[in-house]
Amino acid sequence: PPQGYYTRRGGIGESGDFITSPEISQVFGELIGIWYISEWIATGKPKAFQLVELGPGRGTLTDDILRVFSQLASLLSKCDVSIHLVEVSPKLSEIQALMLTGGKVQSNPEETSAYMKGMSKTGVPIFWYRDIQDVPPGYSFYLAHEFFDALPIHKFQRTEKGWREVLVDIDPEVPDQLRFVLSPSSTPATENFIQPEETRDHVEVCPEAGVIIQRLACRIEKDGGAALVADYGHDGTKTDTFRGFRNHKLHDVLRAPGTADLTADVDFSYLRKMTQGRTATLGPIKQQEFLKNMGIDLRLQVLLQNSRDTATQEQLRHSYDMLMNPKKMGDCFNFFALLPHQRLADPDKKQKPESKPPLVPVAGFGELVLK
């Protein structure tokens, strides 16, 4: 654990190993902030909500969301808002604290669930936890942006003798070099993680993602709220997606472990299965479509009109292109949501159970009519 990539460095940003959407444009986080507010309104404006972010990176996304919350302060004036960050890396939690509170945080005594707490520049309380289990229950909005892709996976290969697990071994030919090998026989993981109806020949499964999704689904079913997942991914169609990034370039996953960011595409069909029907799920839909539905084009126009110099305007257009262009992030990133079942049922149509109730529109996942 002390040698782990995120524990030691966690290279997000221009100078790191990879860059994320919130680092590219403030608009990304603002639209996500608006998504949560629209869900809060759709569920009758509860008196309090927790925003829980899993693996908040440098805190950029939460910072952009908090800016939206403060711009809509009059709307949220009667609502008790708090921020809860689930972060295992001591280094990243320091960076987050600096960005969100200006570094004004205090450590909590060992026996409390949060290991650190502070106050955002806009006066919203922020708490840090090592595990989602430690976050107090209650009506909550969950956010997992580029979180699930960083969790460890099991890899499996179909062979003539049945499924075999792909394992890591020391290469006998080359000193200090690792190699992939197939398990000689079936392993416990092969028995437990391969679905009987699987048609692919190579499969990646992330059991930890399944456990976390189950926890989120249980919490949303019990306390209400919603979860938004944004990540590289597919709907049960891809096979070998495990790769490494170092200095913004692809890197051999077995070379110099702990020095590169390792990632595997999120299998949204697996996440959907793991909710076990406790919540409704929406998506995955492509980032380009989600942001368009959320009004990114309108937001871009406003920012362009308000910026005086051409360099800023150029930067705005460039970041918009990075987020929306299908060849860049527009197609490879997906949005996926968990919502309580009752959120999608129309309360006025109870009398005819045989006719399916029309869906109450959920922002981002369908065309929004701008009023």
Side-chain angles (χ1 to χ4, degrees):
Q3 294 306 309
Y5 176 77
Y6 283 102
T7 323
R8 287 199 317 170
R9 47 193 298 210
I12 308 170
E14 294 284 354
S15 60
D17 297 310
F18 59 95
I19 193 156
T20 64
S21 300
E23 309 287 327
I24 291 168
S25 169
Q26 64 174 67
V27 178
F28 183 84
E30 290 172 351
L31 295 176
I32 287 179
I34 289 166
W35 190 85
Y36 287 119
I37 298 235
S38 84
E39 275 310 296
W40 173 72
I41 293 168
T43 49
K45 301 185 185 172
K47 289 190 168 49
F49 72 76
Q50 306 186 134
L51 176 67
V52 183
E53 188 177 2
L54 310 179
R58 301 167 71 87
T60 315
L61 192 47
T62 297
D63 197 47
D64 290 337
I65 292 171
L66 278 169
R67 190 170 56 253
V68 169
F69 288 178
S70 93
Q71 283 164 352
L72 299 173
S74 57
L75 187 64
L76 290 166
S77 62
K78 291 189 175 68
C79 184
D80 194 4
V81 179
S82 55
I83 305 289
H84 303 260
L85 306 177
V86 180
E87 179 57 77
V88 291
S89 162
K91 188 169 178 198
L92 284 173
S93 59
E94 274 174 38
I95 295 172
Q96 294 151 15
L98 201 61
M99 170 163 278
L100 299 169
T101 71
K104 297 188 191 70
V105 287
Q106 59 195 74
S107 294
N108 261 1
E110 287 295 315
E111 64 274 9
T112 50
S113 57
Y115 64 83
M116 190 164 78
K117 63 179 180 184
M119 192 69 81
S120 81
K121 297 160 196 162
T122 50
V124 176
I126 306 180
F127 303 87
W128 279 262
Y129 310 83
R130 289 195 175 83
D131 192 313
I132 187 154
Q133 305 270 69
D134 299 332
V135 178
Y139 183 92
S140 302
F141 291 130
Y142 300 93
L143 175 56
H145 175 264
E146 284 201 53
F147 170 75
F148 286 109
D149 72 86
L151 299 177
I153 54 161
H154 286 268
K155 284 174 86 64
F156 305 98
Q157 181 70 44
R158 196 194 292 270
T159 71
E160 286 164 9
K161 298 179 187 137
W163 285 98
R164 293 293 179 262
E165 187 168 4
V166 180
L167 302 170
V168 177
D169 182 26
I170 290 168
D171 194 330
E173 312 275 302
V174 192
D176 293 336
Q177 182 62 45
L178 300 169
R179 61 171 185 168
F180 285 124
V181 293
L182 287 182
S183 62
S185 57
S186 180
T187 61
T190 336
E191 303 294 325
N192 289 308
F193 298 139
I194 299 284
Q195 306 287 337
E197 66 275 15
E198 186 55 69
T199 56
R200 290 170 285 177
D201 289 334
H202 189 104
V203 178
E204 295 166 335
V205 180
C206 178
E208 208 177 318
V211 170
I212 291 168
I213 274 290
Q214 278 182 1
R215 287 185 182 149
L216 294 182
C218 288
R219 281 170 166 255
I220 291 167
E221 181 184 42
K222 190 163 161 284
D223 300 319
L228 193 60
V229 177
D231 225 316
Y232 293 97
H234 58 90
D235 211 5
T237 51
K238 286 191 181 176
T239 55
D240 179 14
T241 70
F242 183 41
R243 56 206 186 280
F245 282 100
R246 192 169 170 183
N247 298 324
H248 302 270
K249 290 189 179 71
L250 279 170
H251 175 88
D252 178 353
V253 289
L254 296 181
R255 257 188 42 235
T259 65
D261 169 49
L262 301 183
T263 178
D265 282 13
V266 178
D267 183 344
F268 289 106
S269 70
Y270 174 70
L271 296 190
R272 189 184 300 114
K273 210 168 267 149
M274 294 311 281
T275 62
Q276 295 171 325
R278 289 190 177 97
T279 59
T281 58
L282 291 177
I285 68 166
K286 295 189 184 331
Q287 172 166 298
Q288 177 193 11
E289 196 184 335
F290 179 86
L291 295 177
K292 209 171 205 45
N293 290 342
M294 286 305 296
I296 190 171
D297 296 336
L298 199 66
R299 184 75 187 113
L300 176 72
Q301 291 314 314
V302 171
L303 288 170
L304 287 172
Q305 281 161 14
N306 293 345
S307 58
R308 295 281 167 262
D309 62 303
T310 47
T312 310
Q313 291 182 342
E314 200 40 55
Q315 177 55 40
L316 283 166
R317 288 196 184 93
H318 171 71
S319 52
Y320 172 88
D321 181 60
M322 275 293 280
L323 293 175
M324 299 293 283
N325 190 326
K327 292 188 177 70
K328 294 176 184 171
M329 289 173 140
D331 268 9
C332 61
F333 270 85
N334 293 273
F335 277 77
F336 178 78
L338 270 56
L339 298 157
H341 285 295
Q342 62 270 29
R343 165 69 181 90
L344 296 182
D346 189 337
D348 301 330
K349 296 282 192 298
K350 286 213 174 102
Q351 59 278 34
K352 279 194 198 153
E354 71 279 4
S355 65
K356 263 196 139 180
L359 297 188
V360 179
V362 173
F365 290 88
E367 284 294 318
L368 282 189
V369 182
L370 289 164
K371 291 199 173 76

